[in-house]
Amino acid sequence: MDILVIGGGGREHAIVKKLKENPGVGTIYALPGNGGMTADAVCVPEIGAKDISAQVEFAKAHQIGFAVVAPDDPLVLGAVDALEDAGIPCFGPEAKAAVIEGSKVFSKNLMKKYGIPTAQYEVFEDAAAAQDYVKTCRLPIVIKADGLALGKGVLIAETREDALRAVETIMLDKAFGDSGNQVVIEEFLTGPEVSVLSFTDGKTIVPMVSSMDHKRAHDGDKGLNTGGMGTIAPNPYYTDEIAQTCMETIFLPTLRAMNAEGRTFRGCLYFGLMLTPDGPKVIEYNCRFGDPETQVVLPLLESDLLTIMQACRNGTLAETEVRFSKGAACCVIMASEGYPEHYEKGFEITIPAEAAPYVYVAGAKAENGRLLTSGGRVLGVTATAADLKSAVAQAYERVETIHFGNVFYRHDIGQRALKALEH
């Protein structure tokens, strides 16, 4: 069976590599894919992730047996709806369910209505009213653009000036376009953060192994927020006891809430959690696999990914095996110097053959037989091992063997988790 994967980053490369393990899979097409994925998929760079009509035509013309829509934008825009309407079975939520990520206002109101623990918040459509509010509220405060903003629409304000500037940036300067027409302003929560991706068919929910993202650009969690500079799994703060609490107070209630709203969610539902002194709370929902969390979670999956994805779509997840390794994984992101702001591109990348199976390429293009950097986050390098310390060491050993000009990466991915394991 030939498969279509929509998207072109490291997350999609990880999905493609895992799908390839199924012997019944024929050709995998990646739309648009990237130059570093060509050994694992047929990339179609002329069809973008948001070009839904072209995706449908391509899927019909190539008799695609199953499609995976990975990024947030096409999910929110209704790519799954369009492909399913054309008779192409799909993994991913319909647009009416993807709104759980597409609108922060929707997701916060959902949590309030159904008693799902989250930060206290206010919603504003008027910039002046939002600014009046931040002049008197408790600090620090979190200010979020309502819509999708490439993971960058969340600003944490330590001072009144920062808060006023954040409202201005989102609502008046339109730094994130129409995503900033409304803002959510919420209390600042403290505690360890945990990412939990889950498979769901709308009735059953099966959490994947937990992970810890490293958002800040520089060592010691300094510098600007990025799309993620590395991840480890499992997250040592996420104990069996906390997992049980999350299942009872967050995961199942969210599934039931979406069903009650007539927005049944099928696909990968991502929970961004904060383990606060008052218990676990939801920071955010995503309607898809996280990036770079996928690059540590899927390598630990021992069951067949395609079978699980089909079960999520067909409503048979309860009868389907979902098994993860008891080991650990670490992914280090190799980025372009200057990311997440301004950076140069076009440097040649060399990846030795022995490292290639463990590399997930995100921002690269193929040109005249060479692989060149074309993005901020260039690639992720993953290792799995029996324990986290070994996985971290192996990941960095592999990083040392990969070269490109302008390379930049953090040297402390996993260190916070290793310290937590000592206690």
Side-chain angles (χ1 to χ4, degrees):
M1 176 167 64
D2 293 346
I3 291 181
L4 181 63
V5 174
I6 290 170
R11 163 188 53 213
E12 287 76 19
H13 198 182
I15 291 169
V16 164
K17 283 194 188 225
K18 187 51 83 170
L19 288 170
K20 265 183 73 178
E21 293 175 10
N22 181 313
V25 169
T27 304
I28 302 179
Y29 296 95
L31 278 57
N34 71 61
M37 290 168 64
T38 52
D40 300 299
V42 175
C43 297
V44 187
E46 55 275 14
I47 300 180
K50 293 194 275 190
D51 192 350
I52 294 171
S53 58
Q55 291 161 9
V56 170
E57 289 311 310
F58 184 92
K60 288 198 295 195
H62 290 77
Q63 298 181 310
I64 295 299
F66 196 75
V68 178
V69 183
D72 47 12
D73 282 320
L75 288 167
V76 170
L77 291 168
V80 168
D81 311 59
L83 285 158
E84 286 277 359
D85 285 348
I88 312 294
C90 256
F91 177 83
E94 298 168 83
K96 67 181 180 184
V99 70
I100 200 166
E101 178 175 6
S103 169
K104 304 269 191 322
V105 173
F106 170 85
S107 65
K108 293 297 287 192
N109 289 344
L110 184 86
M111 288 185 267
K112 180 185 269 186
K113 181 175 175 180
Y114 292 94
I116 297 162
T118 189
Q120 292 181 317
Y121 71 101
E122 298 290 338
V123 175
F124 296 92
E125 293 181 14
D126 177 70
Q131 290 187 319
D132 285 343
Y133 177 75
V134 300
K135 285 173 187 168
T136 57
C137 66
R138 280 177 59 185
L139 294 170
I141 197 86
V142 183
I143 299 155
K144 298 178 173 180
D146 171 48
L148 299 176
L150 298 172
K152 300 183 178 72
V154 177
L155 304 175
I156 298 167
E158 307 273 353
T159 66
R160 300 266 172 237
E161 293 73 32
D162 286 348
L164 290 166
R165 197 174 309 116
V167 172
E168 192 177 307
T169 299
I170 294 171
M171 300 195 81
L172 299 175
D173 299 345
K174 293 284 188 223
F176 310 109
D178 290 343
S179 289
N181 290 347
Q182 293 187 88
V183 294
V184 173
I185 300 180
E186 63 181 34
E187 69 171 323
F188 180 78
L189 298 176
T190 58
E193 275 192 54
V194 181
S195 302
V196 181
L197 289 72
S198 63
F199 292 113
T200 179
D201 61 2
K203 300 173 293 186
T204 300
I205 188 162
V206 181
M208 302 182 216
V209 61
S210 64
S211 55
M212 179 191 287
D213 194 5
H214 299 65
K215 283 282 184 204
R216 299 279 184 171
H218 300 293
D219 288 9
D221 292 319
K222 304 280 195 305
L224 294 169
N225 256 339
T226 70
M229 293 300 295
T231 36
I232 60 94
N235 188 319
Y237 291 103
Y238 192 70
T239 62
D240 290 345
E241 186 182 7
I242 290 170
Q244 189 59 40
T245 301
C246 289
M247 180 59 83
E248 291 164 7
T249 64
I250 295 171
F251 303 162
L252 287 170
T254 299
L255 214 55
R256 290 194 283 261
M258 290 296 277
N259 287 336
E261 295 292 313
R263 296 175 183 272
T264 296
F265 191 104
R266 299 178 194 87
C268 175
L269 183 53
Y270 166 117
F271 299 88
L273 306 172
M274 187 77 84
L275 306 183
T276 78
D278 302 323
K281 296 189 179 184
V282 178
I283 312 169
E284 64 171 353
Y285 293 114
N286 288 343
C287 64
R288 35 81 196 183
F289 282 97
D291 189 343
E293 291 94 343
T294 307
Q295 290 91 304
V296 286
V297 170
L298 286 188
L300 293 172
L301 177 66
E302 292 180 339
S303 308
D304 179 60
L305 179 60
L306 178 60
T307 304
I308 297 166
M309 286 180 161
Q310 288 171 322
C312 290
R313 188 241 176 207
N314 298 334
T316 55
L317 188 60
E319 301 97 65
T320 304
E321 182 188 56
V322 182
R323 188 181 70 253
F324 285 88
S325 149
K326 294 280 184 251
C330 173
C331 174
V332 179
I333 298 295
M334 299 181 74
S336 300
E337 182 70 57
Y339 173 76
E341 293 189 297
H342 308 291
Y343 49 85
E344 290 181 52
K345 300 183 280 198
F347 297 96
E348 185 170 1
I349 306 165
T350 57
I351 304 170
E354 58 272 20
Y358 311 100
V359 174
Y360 303 111
V361 182
K365 62 178 182 182
E367 208 170 84
N368 301 326
R370 300 188 308 159
L371 193 60
L372 307 177
T373 63
S374 68
R377 290 189 298 170
V378 177
L379 48 86
V381 184
T382 295
T384 58
D387 60 86
L388 183 60
K389 190 174 183 181
S390 304
V392 169
Q394 279 182 38
Y396 276 104
E397 281 169 23
R398 286 174 183 151
V399 164
E400 294 295 325
T401 69
I402 296 164
H403 303 286
F404 56 89
N406 214 31
V407 66
F408 153 76
Y409 56 89
R410 279 180 59 164
H411 297 79
D412 64 345
I413 301 302
Q415 292 308 311
R416 194 160 23 108
L418 289 170
K419 283 199 180 71
L421 287 168
E422 289 167 11
H423 298 309

Short mmCIF file of all heavy atoms in Angstrom, two decimals, residues 17 20 34 48 57 59 133 140 156 201 233 278 298 301 317 326 332 355 369 385:
data_model
loop_
_atom_site.label_atom_id
_atom_site.label_comp_id
_atom_site.label_asym_id
_atom_site.label_seq_id
_atom_site.Cartn_x
_atom_site.Cartn_y
_atom_site.Cartn_z
N LYS A 17 9.97 7.26 8.69
CA LYS A 17 10.89 6.17 9.02
C LYS A 17 10.17 5.06 9.79
O LYS A 17 10.44 3.87 9.58
CB LYS A 17 12.07 6.70 9.85
CG LYS A 17 13.11 7.44 9.00
CD LYS A 17 14.39 7.64 9.79
CE LYS A 17 15.37 8.55 9.05
NZ LYS A 17 16.74 8.04 9.05
N LYS A 20 7.81 3.05 7.49
CA LYS A 20 8.60 2.18 6.59
C LYS A 20 8.87 0.80 7.18
O LYS A 20 9.17 -0.15 6.45
CB LYS A 20 9.95 2.84 6.30
CG LYS A 20 10.00 3.65 5.02
CD LYS A 20 11.39 4.20 4.78
CE LYS A 20 12.37 3.13 4.35
NZ LYS A 20 13.71 3.68 4.07
N ASN A 34 11.41 17.13 2.33
CA ASN A 34 12.59 18.00 2.20
C ASN A 34 13.75 17.18 1.66
O ASN A 34 13.67 15.95 1.61
CB ASN A 34 12.94 18.68 3.54
CG ASN A 34 13.51 17.71 4.57
OD1 ASN A 34 14.55 17.09 4.37
ND2 ASN A 34 12.81 17.56 5.71
N GLY A 48 2.72 22.12 -1.38
CA GLY A 48 2.94 22.56 -0.01
C GLY A 48 1.98 21.92 0.98
O GLY A 48 0.96 21.34 0.59
N GLU A 57 -5.84 15.82 -5.25
CA GLU A 57 -5.63 15.38 -6.64
C GLU A 57 -4.48 14.38 -6.72
O GLU A 57 -4.55 13.37 -7.42
CB GLU A 57 -5.35 16.59 -7.55
CG GLU A 57 -6.57 17.47 -7.80
CD GLU A 57 -7.81 16.68 -8.23
OE1 GLU A 57 -7.69 15.86 -9.17
OE2 GLU A 57 -8.87 16.86 -7.59
N ALA A 59 -3.32 12.44 -4.29
CA ALA A 59 -3.69 11.18 -3.63
C ALA A 59 -4.56 10.31 -4.54
O ALA A 59 -4.39 9.09 -4.61
CB ALA A 59 -4.43 11.49 -2.32
N TYR A 133 -6.07 45.58 31.54
CA TYR A 133 -6.03 44.42 32.42
C TYR A 133 -4.60 44.14 32.90
O TYR A 133 -4.37 43.89 34.09
CB TYR A 133 -6.60 43.20 31.70
CG TYR A 133 -6.54 41.91 32.49
CD1 TYR A 133 -7.42 41.69 33.56
CD2 TYR A 133 -5.61 40.91 32.17
CE1 TYR A 133 -7.37 40.50 34.29
CE2 TYR A 133 -5.56 39.73 32.90
CZ TYR A 133 -6.43 39.53 33.96
OH TYR A 133 -6.37 38.35 34.68
N PRO A 140 4.51 37.25 37.18
CA PRO A 140 4.50 37.30 35.71
C PRO A 140 3.16 36.82 35.15
O PRO A 140 2.36 36.22 35.86
CB PRO A 140 5.64 36.37 35.32
CG PRO A 140 5.84 35.47 36.49
CD PRO A 140 5.40 36.21 37.72
N ILE A 156 5.77 35.46 27.58
CA ILE A 156 5.75 35.53 29.04
C ILE A 156 6.28 36.89 29.47
O ILE A 156 7.39 37.28 29.08
CB ILE A 156 6.59 34.40 29.65
CG1 ILE A 156 6.00 33.03 29.27
CG2 ILE A 156 6.67 34.53 31.17
CD1 ILE A 156 6.89 31.86 29.55
N ASP A 201 -9.04 7.22 19.21
CA ASP A 201 -10.04 7.03 18.15
C ASP A 201 -11.36 7.72 18.52
O ASP A 201 -12.39 7.48 17.91
CB ASP A 201 -10.27 5.54 17.88
CG ASP A 201 -10.78 4.77 19.10
OD1 ASP A 201 -11.00 5.40 20.16
OD2 ASP A 201 -10.97 3.54 19.00
N ALA A 233 13.04 11.26 26.42
CA ALA A 233 11.88 10.48 26.85
C ALA A 233 12.41 9.23 27.55
O ALA A 233 13.45 8.71 27.17
CB ALA A 233 11.02 10.09 25.64
N ASP A 278 -0.36 22.36 42.82
CA ASP A 278 -1.78 22.00 42.98
C ASP A 278 -2.19 20.83 42.08
O ASP A 278 -3.38 20.57 41.91
CB ASP A 278 -2.68 23.20 42.62
CG ASP A 278 -2.37 24.42 43.46
OD1 ASP A 278 -2.07 24.23 44.66
OD2 ASP A 278 -2.40 25.54 42.94
N LEU A 298 8.57 8.16 18.88
CA LEU A 298 8.38 7.07 17.89
C LEU A 298 9.53 6.06 17.87
O LEU A 298 9.29 4.87 17.67
CB LEU A 298 8.12 7.64 16.50
CG LEU A 298 6.73 8.25 16.28
CD1 LEU A 298 6.53 8.60 14.81
CD2 LEU A 298 5.61 7.35 16.76
N LEU A 301 8.64 3.33 20.12
CA LEU A 301 7.43 2.54 19.84
C LEU A 301 7.82 1.19 19.25
O LEU A 301 8.51 1.12 18.24
CB LEU A 301 6.54 3.32 18.86
CG LEU A 301 5.26 2.61 18.39
CD1 LEU A 301 4.29 2.41 19.56
CD2 LEU A 301 4.58 3.40 17.27
N LEU A 317 -9.12 1.16 18.39
CA LEU A 317 -7.89 1.32 19.17
C LEU A 317 -7.88 0.42 20.41
O LEU A 317 -6.82 -0.08 20.81
CB LEU A 317 -7.69 2.78 19.56
CG LEU A 317 -6.36 3.15 20.22
CD1 LEU A 317 -5.18 2.83 19.31
CD2 LEU A 317 -6.33 4.63 20.61
N LYS A 326 10.98 -0.07 27.22
CA LYS A 326 11.22 0.42 28.59
C LYS A 326 12.47 1.30 28.65
O LYS A 326 12.84 1.79 29.71
CB LYS A 326 11.39 -0.78 29.53
CG LYS A 326 10.13 -1.61 29.70
CD LYS A 326 9.18 -0.95 30.69
CE LYS A 326 7.95 -1.80 30.95
NZ LYS A 326 6.74 -1.22 30.37
N VAL A 332 18.92 15.56 19.93
CA VAL A 332 19.59 16.86 19.94
C VAL A 332 19.34 17.54 18.60
O VAL A 332 19.60 16.95 17.55
CB VAL A 332 21.11 16.70 20.17
CG1 VAL A 332 21.80 18.06 20.16
CG2 VAL A 332 21.38 15.95 21.48
N ALA A 355 25.48 7.16 10.88
CA ALA A 355 24.60 8.04 11.68
C ALA A 355 23.24 8.23 11.01
O ALA A 355 22.24 8.51 11.69
CB ALA A 355 25.26 9.39 11.90
N GLY A 369 23.17 17.14 -6.09
CA GLY A 369 23.74 16.00 -5.38
C GLY A 369 24.28 16.31 -4.00
O GLY A 369 24.87 15.44 -3.34
N ALA A 385 18.52 3.98 24.16
CA ALA A 385 19.38 3.11 24.97
C ALA A 385 18.58 2.59 26.15
O ALA A 385 17.43 2.99 26.35
CB ALA A 385 20.61 3.89 25.44
#
